[in-house]
C-alpha cells in the first residue's frame, strides 16, 4: 500500500527566504509525481509534474526533484513571497493491478506561511 | 474561462436527503475524477471515468452514484445523506489516466462543500 508523507506539516518563514518542502513515499513503483498548491477554500492548482524517468522540473521560482529509489521528492521555492502562502500537496501516481489505470495517492500536505 | 467547474459551491442539507453535484470540464480531457477531502484536509479518490466508462470505484458506498453523460461531464449523486458525508468534494480531469508516463497533470475544480445536518 502506497503511503505518502510530507514534512514539515507546517512552516512559517519571513519573506525572501529560500525553502524546501519534503515528500516521501513508500513504494517506488510510481509513474509520476505531482506537486499542487491549495489556497484556503479553493481547489488544487498543479505546480509541477515529474515523470518517473525525470529527475527534476522547474517553473519560475519553483524546482521539484524526484529520487524514485529513495522514495523522495523535494519542492524548492526560491525567494519566497507572501503570495506563496498556501498548503502544498504532493501526489504520486501508481498503477492499479486489475485495471491498468493509474491512481493518485496524496500526501498530508505542508501548510506554508510567508510573512512580509 | 473556468477549466473545471463544479456546482453548487456550497450545499447544506438534512440527513436522509438526496443531493447532486455537477462537474464540467472544457479542457478536452478524456478522464475525470471525484475526490473527497475530509476535515483533516486529506484527499482521497472516489471515482474515475475514462471516456464515460467507470474505471475506479474506490470502495465508496452504493449511496454515491456517479454519472458521466459525456466525457466533458461527471456528476455525483448522493442518496440518503449521512453526517459522515460532510466534506469538500473535488472534481478533476486529466488527459489520459492509464498507468504510463503519458498521463497528464490533473486539473481541479474549486470544490463543493457539503454540510449534512
Amino acid at each position: 500500500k502506497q503511503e505518502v508523507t510530507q514534512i514539515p506539516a507546517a512552516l512559517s518563514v519571513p519573506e525572501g527566504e529560500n525553502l524546501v518542502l519534503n515528500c516521501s513515499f513508500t513504494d517506488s513503483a510510481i509513474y509520476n509525481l505531482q506537486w499542487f498548491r491549495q489556497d484556503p477554500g479553493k481547489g488544487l492548482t498543479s505546480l509541477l509534474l515529474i515523470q518517473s524517468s525525470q529527475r527534476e522540473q522547474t517553473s519560475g521560482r519553483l524546482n521539484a526533484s524526484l529520487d524514485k529509489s529513495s522514495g523522495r521528492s523535494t519542492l524548492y521555492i526560491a525567494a519566497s513571497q507572501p503570495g506563496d502562502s498556501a498548503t502544498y500537496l504532493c501526489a504520486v501516481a501508481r498503477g492499479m493491478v486489475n485495471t491498468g489505470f493509474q491512481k493518485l495517492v496524496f500526501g498530508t500536505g505542508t501548510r506554508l506561511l510567508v510573512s512580509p | 474561462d473556468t477549466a473545471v467547474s463544479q456546482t453548487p459551491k456550497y450545499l447544506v442539507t438534512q440527513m436522509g436527503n438526496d443531493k447532486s453535484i455537477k462537474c464540467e470540464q472544457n479542457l478536452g480531457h478524456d478522464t475525470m475524477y471525484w475526490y473527497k477531502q475530509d476535515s483533516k484536509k486529506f484527499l482521497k479518490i472516489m471515482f474515475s471515468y475514462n471516456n464515460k466508462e467507470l474505471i475506479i470505484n474506490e470502495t465508496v458506498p452504493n449511496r454515491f452514484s456517479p454519472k458521466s453523460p459525456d466525457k466533458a461531464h461527471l456528476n455525483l449523486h448522493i442518496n440518503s445523506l449521512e453526517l459522515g458525508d460532510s466534506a469538500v468534494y473535488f472534481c478533476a480531469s486529466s488527459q489520459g489516466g492509464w498507468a504510463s508516463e503519458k498521463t497528464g497533470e490533473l486539473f481541479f475544480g474549486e470544490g463543493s462543500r457539503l454540510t449534512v445536518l
Side-chain angles (χ1 to χ4, degrees):
Chain A
K1 181 188 172 186
Q2 178 72 274
E3 293 183 3
V4 183
T5 306
Q6 291 185 243
I7 294 173
L11 184 61
S12 183
V13 300
E15 183 177 6
E17 270 201 15
N18 302 324
L19 54 100
V20 175
L21 307 181
N22 297 294
C23 172
S24 61
F25 45 95
T26 53
D27 185 347
S28 62
I30 66 170
Y31 287 90
N32 59 61
L33 183 145
Q34 203 166 345
W35 282 93
F36 297 88
R37 78 173 268 169
Q38 185 175 24
D39 294 282
K42 299 286 187 182
L44 281 70
T45 301
S46 177
L47 297 173
L48 290 162
L49 170 68
I50 310 177
Q51 303 291 2
S52 64
S53 58
Q54 297 174 324
R55 297 284 293 183
E56 66 177 338
Q57 281 286 342
T58 298
S59 176
R61 295 183 293 108
L62 304 180
N63 175 277
S65 67
L66 174 63
D67 184 344
K68 265 182 47 173
S69 59
S70 66
R72 290 180 184 176
S73 175
T74 61
L75 179 66
Y76 175 82
I77 303 177
S80 59
Q81 302 171 358
D84 295 330
S85 298
T87 296
Y88 290 80
L89 294 152
C90 71
V92 298
R94 65 179 183 88
M96 298 186 71
V97 174
N98 295 327
T99 71
F101 212 68
Q102 72 165 21
K103 186 175 91 166
L104 276 187
V105 179
F106 278 83
T108 45
T110 294
R111 197 167 61 252
L112 173 66
L113 177 63
V114 181
S115 50
Chain B
D1 199 18
T2 307
V4 182
S5 58
Q6 313 178 212
T7 55
K9 190 168 182 178
Y10 299 97
L11 199 50
V12 181
T13 189
Q14 300 285 333
M15 263 176 34
N17 283 352
D18 303 338
K19 290 293 177 186
S20 293
I21 307 172
K22 295 185 177 181
C23 178
E24 176 182 3
Q25 54 96 2
N26 62 7
L27 298 166
H29 289 163
D30 59 4
T31 306
M32 296 186 71
Y33 311 80
W34 277 108
Y35 282 84
K36 180 179 180 181
Q37 189 171 45
D38 61 24
S39 57
K40 294 183 179 178
K41 306 297 184 186
F42 187 65
L43 262 168
K44 190 171 179 184
I45 192 167
M46 300 173 67
F47 299 102
S48 176
Y49 272 71
N50 177 258
N51 283 316
K52 304 192 301 175
E53 298 291 326
L54 177 66
I55 301 296
I56 297 175
N57 179 342
E58 196 71 357
T59 60
V60 178
N62 290 340
R63 299 182 295 104
F64 290 79
S65 52
K67 282 192 171 53
S68 182
D70 55 62
K71 70 176 191 177
H73 295 84
L74 180 61
N75 303 322
L76 183 65
H77 187 75
I78 315 171
N79 289 327
S80 304
L81 279 158
E82 301 177 357
L83 293 176
D85 297 332
S86 295
V88 182
Y89 292 86
F90 286 99
C91 177
S93 73
S94 70
Q95 184 53 37
W98 302 102
S100 76
E101 291 198 357
K102 294 183 180 177
T103 295
E105 62 192 294
L106 257 66
F107 291 81
F108 279 79
E110 294 218 329
S112 297
R113 181 177 293 277
L114 171 65
T115 303
V116 182
L117 303 175

